[in-house]
Amino acid sequence: MAVGLPAGEASLREMTGRGYDVAALVIPGSDPELADAALAALLIAAGRDGAWHQGWVDAGTALQARRTTDQLASVFYRCQHRNDQELLLGP
């Protein structure tokens, strides 16, 4: 889901670089409701204390898993807030 969103380009490049057939895997478009549901599911499974982060044998692999889930969460979060306007500070 994340690689089909505008902020998911880095994940798309990584999948392509690893030889995945992204055309078969990517859900095109940026359905906000689907992105919201994907973020909620990711946070349940792999949030700060999620089960996904338990039991890794290799600390390096555990760190990479954490980076990947953080990157995915960031993509979904940016999708949720893509229409937010920045407030100008100052005169």
Side-chain angles (χ1 to χ4, degrees), residues 11-85:
S11 297
L12 179 61
R13 284 191 303 274
E14 185 173 336
M15 287 180 67
T16 302
R18 293 178 182 250
Y20 289 102
D21 179 5
V22 292
L25 299 173
V26 174
I27 300 170
S30 57
D31 182 340
E33 289 181 22
L34 186 55
D36 291 348
L39 176 60
L42 178 66
L43 293 176
I44 289 169
R48 184 160 179 80
D49 297 318
W52 172 254
H53 299 295
Q54 308 304 315
W56 291 97
V57 175
D58 175 27
T61 304
L63 181 60
Q64 182 58 43
R66 173 79 60 188
R67 286 182 185 145
T68 298
T69 56
D70 288 350
Q71 179 184 18
L72 293 172
S74 174
V75 170
F76 292 133
Y77 182 79
R78 282 184 275 167
C79 179
Q80 283 182 330
H81 297 279
R82 69 188 173 284
N83 294 322
D84 291 355
Q85 299 291 323

